[in-house]
Amino acid sequence: MYLAANGRPDAPPRPQGVRRRVPAAVLALGTVSLVTDVSSEMVAAVLPLHLVLGLGLTPLQFGFLDGMFNGATALVRLLGGRLADRRGHHKRVAGAGYLLSALSRLGLLLAGGATGGIAAALAADRLGKGIRTAPRDALISLSGPPESLGRSFGVHRAMDTTGALLGPLAAFAVLWATADAYDAVFAVSFCVGLLGMLLLVVYVPAAPGPAAPAPAGARPPRAPVLRDRAFRRVLYASALLGATTIGDAFLYLLLLRALDLPPALFTLLPLGAAAVYLLLAVPAGRIADRTGRRTAFLLGHCALLGAYALLLAPVSTPTVVGVLALLGIFYAATDGVLMALAAPALPTAGRAGGLAVLQTGQALARLLGAAGFGAAWTLWGQRPALWVATLALAGALAAASRILPAAPPHASAAPEVP
């Protein structure tokens, strides 16, 4: 038997060149995320229309509700990670998050036109997403060997994105079949969400890794950000780069204004970036495993920098294609790759909590970055603000290349124990 540095038994290393299959638990979690994202995006696609056009909420009211609960999601991730690590119940905590999000669709159905009920349903959805994210990613990281985590996260993110693309199509199909009955969309979304929950219960193992849960009454370890130098460096670099990310919606708005496109196209632009992300998520994860996740993560931000540069040049129709392609490459090379980069530096008993710290730090940094760009646009105009964002991202890339660990923070193997 082989023991890794964290004390958990690992299988003997395979010969080089032998391809590993994607762990069954990762495929099961990917299927759960696909089905759940269909449910989520069905609601997301029609909710602005339902609230603003159907119920008469002002855009300011809707923006306040959506922004407030999205910000709260980042902080709830810390709670989800801590609960999952306390007794090793990653599946139970993730399942609670999935169930809460599914029930939120029922809440929208029952709320009718009551603003308070709608706000409570939106809060339940965001809380469910925040609770489940870190335990789910911890389950993925514990389901396979560290050297193939990039591929595992790439497969999961590709399946997740497939659901995000299918959700709006399903929503509009239901609206077309029911003559714009929004309640029918909420009802179907609730049923689809329950299906995702059922798939989690039946097909996702409770403990994909062989590590035993912490004993009863044991306190979870302190946040790895305070203990592990390699993890701290990943956290600081991701937060720095996140603070110079201006947000997808601003990029789409810049494209619309530069080409004077009709506002209806705003909802179609994200589909282009999502399609590129879907196609490249798995290849990017495999390349990151082979060539280094640090390099892939930095190159992904170079793609984002390229998108900014394209918007600084004279904008034409090919610019739209280039920006969407670069944005898709950015997400493919950074989203799951970041989790794969950080996970091996975290102990099994604190994996979910550590990933929650990383996700929360990045989310809050991106929130600050988007707010800063919006303020700069308001004060100086869109082009000076974009120049500032481009220079800031270039500087952050240079700094992150110095901060990130030079080698992947994999746990080294200990001598064989008979």
Side-chain angles (χ1 to χ4, degrees), residues 296-395:
F297 185 68
L298 292 174
L299 288 177
H301 283 86
C302 288
L304 183 63
L305 184 63
Y308 293 0
L310 281 180
L311 287 169
L312 286 171
V315 177
S316 60
T317 301
T319 304
V320 177
V321 177
V323 169
L324 296 182
L326 289 170
L327 192 58
I329 293 171
F330 161 66
Y331 281 114
T334 59
D335 187 13
V337 170
L338 176 60
M339 298 298 104
L341 176 64
L346 299 169
T348 300
R351 183 71 55 88
L355 293 181
V357 170
L358 178 63
Q359 293 163 356
T360 301
Q362 185 185 53
L364 293 179
R366 286 183 173 178
L367 182 63
L368 291 175
F373 181 77
W377 186 338
T378 302
L379 293 174
W380 305 326
Q382 64 183 45
R383 189 168 181 82
L386 186 56
W387 266 111
V388 171
T390 303
L391 294 175
L393 179 56

Side-chain angles (χ1 to χ4, degrees), residues 399-417:
S401 66
R402 302 289 300 272
I403 296 173
L404 283 172
H410 287 172
S412 55
E416 185 177 354
V417 177

Side-chain angles (χ1 to χ4, degrees), residues 44-118:
V46 302
L47 195 59
L49 299 177
H50 174 58
L51 296 182
V52 177
L53 299 182
L55 300 182
L57 267 68
T58 67
L60 178 61
Q61 290 172 319
F62 174 71
F64 174 76
L65 288 175
D66 192 58
M68 180 177 63
F69 294 133
N70 274 326
T73 299
L75 298 177
V76 175
R77 289 176 182 173
L78 297 174
L79 175 62
R82 184 173 180 83
L83 290 175
D85 284 337
R86 184 176 294 276
R87 293 179 179 269
H89 292 161
H90 300 81
K91 178 180 175 179
R92 293 185 184 180
V93 176
Y98 281 113
L99 179 60
L100 189 58
S101 291
L103 292 176
S104 72
R105 325 287 190 245
L106 185 61
L108 286 171
L109 187 62
L110 298 176
T115 305
I118 294 171

Side-chain angles (χ1 to χ4, degrees), residues 45 164-165 168-169 172 248 251-253 255-256 261-276 320-321 324-325 327:
L165 290 173
L169 298 178
F172 287 114
D248 301 351
L251 296 181
Y252 303 144
L253 189 58
L255 288 173
L256 286 176
L261 298 175
L265 290 180
F266 186 85
T267 58
L268 299 179
L269 291 176
L271 297 180
V276 175
V320 177
V321 177
L324 296 182
L327 192 58

Side-chain angles (χ1 to χ4, degrees), residues 155-169:
V155 168
H156 176 268
R157 295 313 196 250
M159 298 178 74
D160 185 85
T161 305
T162 301
L165 290 173
L166 293 176
L169 298 178

